[in-house]
Amino acid sequence: MRVLLLGSGGREHAISWKIAQSSMLEELFIAPGNAGTRQHGKNVPIQPTDFKSIREFVLSNAIDMVVVGPEEPLVKGIHDFFLADDQLKSVPVIGPQQHAAQLEGSKDFAKQFMQRHNIPTAKYATFTKDNLNQGFTFLEGMKPPYVLKADGLAAGKGVVILNDLNEAKKELSSMLADAKFGEASSRVVIEQFLSGIELSVFVITDGDSYKLLPEAKDYKRIGEGDTGLNTGGMGAVSPVPFADPAFMDKVQNQVIIPTIKGLKHDGIPYKGFVFFGLINVKGEPYVIEYNCRMGDPETEVVMPRLRSDLLDLFEGVATNTLSERDMQFVDKCAATVMMVSGGYPESYTKGKQIYGLNTVTESIVFHAGTESDGPTVRSAGGRVLAVTSYGKNLEAALTRSYSAIESIEFEGAYYRKDIGFDVV
Ligand code: AMP
Ligand code: GLY
């Protein structure tokens, strides 16, 4: 198979690493990729939302399958773009069409979907600038903390949680009336605060059947002990100890199955990954969010724990034969620790040369934000490297990653020293 993978982060490096192990692969291209993905395929300088250039590339390189890493091209309709084009429609796209991608692209759409299908989630109401005053009244009737969510994609910044009622009102007004997050906050979902421990659950589906992938837990805050600003993710572990068979049964019966059936019932086709952002409230799973793609940095622990051939699974998705495919896991734990640029998630400097990458032998270094000129690798983003290790337990995996990090260096590098602190 000739495969084009879209994206340039740690998630895409981990997916390219896994695809490269497939016996079904003829050639892999990554658009645009990073200094890590070039170890597994050929990087091509095309942005994932540049549909016109993707079209030309797919046709001139006889691509058999397109795998979409990030949400933006999905929410912008890349899958629909392929289906609407006579020359492209026979090329399968792994990733849902625009309608289903709204599960991530619109919080209000996701909440309505969950309500319609009885999927456990926080109680909510949605407001626009035309009913701002009703929004204030709604807040007055709630208990703190107040959870406000911009409806649309806001680069991971659209959720604001506040303890003070007046601040919450001010925030609501700045989102709706002052368009704080632009078009993304033209609608705002206000919801009940749920208290519990979060985890990420993933399935792959062809729209009829699904297969469960290993679950993971990510660490979103910049500071140790889960403090400070939110980031794209500072590390992850898999498996998640509290996701025992009893809890995962509830997740399948109350969340996953109703979601897959609900999509089918509503006539919404879905081919690709579904990411369930869950919270465990006293042993009961609730959906915090859906994403229409894999998580990052979760993918950097999920892919290493997948034994089966990823392209075989993708082919099952493309041909509606996923139920006949084999899904097996590696019987080891995995942990990843993210090395980020100093200053991230606020302002930081890129272009720092990275030393020591070749000295790591006991871990897999997935590149998140890197670029290369010749053999030199430099930082090119806030999140720079995800250092993943296996272990017989999470402690052993984490110890390995921390030991590998000792031998990697770039100016200003920062990482959390407590990944997994709450579960090991
Ligand atoms: P989201 O983008 O919807 O995943 O929200 C970002 C983060 O905000 C989540 O990972 C949670 O930590 C937190 N969060 C979102 N919704 C709630 C809620 N209803 N109750 C408590 N925390 C929440
Ligand atoms: N790690 C959370 C996400 O990918 O959205």
Side-chain angles (χ1 to χ4, degrees), residues 1 11 19 40 58 83 86 96 106 109 124 136 141 147 182 201 219 245 264 272 312 325 363 382 396 412 415 419:
M1 236 191 268
R11 167 182 50 215
I19 289 178
H40 311 298
V58 166
L83 291 175
D86 276 340
S106 165
F109 177 90
Y124 82 106
F136 292 155
V147 183
V201 169
Y219 292 81
K264 213 172 157 58
D312 181 57
R325 311 286 162 147
S363 300
Y415 58 94
I419 298 305

Side-chain angles (χ1 to χ4, degrees), residues 114-131:
M114 287 185 269
Q115 205 165 45
R116 197 158 60 240
H117 299 292
N118 270 318
I119 295 165
T121 188
K123 292 196 181 65
Y124 82 106
T126 302
F127 300 92
T128 65
K129 70 177 185 323
D130 301 324
N131 59 5

Side-chain angles (χ1 to χ4, degrees), residues 99-118:
H99 192 179
Q102 291 297 300
L103 283 180
E104 175 165 4
S106 165
K107 303 269 188 207
D108 180 58
F109 177 90
K111 292 301 263 190
Q112 288 192 36
F113 176 85
M114 287 185 269
Q115 205 165 45
R116 197 158 60 240
H117 299 292
N118 270 318

Side-chain angles (χ1 to χ4, degrees), residues 66-69 74 79 93-97 100 202-213 260 263 269-276 291-294 310 313-314 316-318 320 322 327:
V66 176
V67 179
V68 186
L74 295 168
H79 195 151
V93 176
I94 306 301
Q97 286 163 251
F202 307 95
V203 304
I204 184 164
T205 179
D206 58 9
D208 289 310
S209 70
Y210 73 88
K211 290 205 186 284
L212 188 63
L213 289 149
I260 303 298
L263 287 164
Y270 201 116
K271 284 183 181 295
F273 294 105
V274 191
F275 170 156
F276 301 86
N291 294 310
C292 59
R293 50 160 176 95
M294 283 298 290
L310 187 57
L313 294 169
F314 285 162
V317 169
N320 262 41
L322 184 62
M327 172 72 101

Side-chain angles (χ1 to χ4, degrees), residues 11 71 104 156 200 202 217-220 231-236 275 289 291 293-299 383:
R11 167 182 50 215
E71 64 279 12
E104 175 165 4
S200 306
F202 307 95
K217 182 171 197 310
D218 81 339
Y219 292 81
K220 291 201 174 98
T231 71
M234 296 296 291
F275 170 156
E289 64 167 350
N291 294 310
R293 50 160 176 95
M294 283 298 290
D296 195 349
E298 290 97 324
T299 307
R383 293 192 294 169

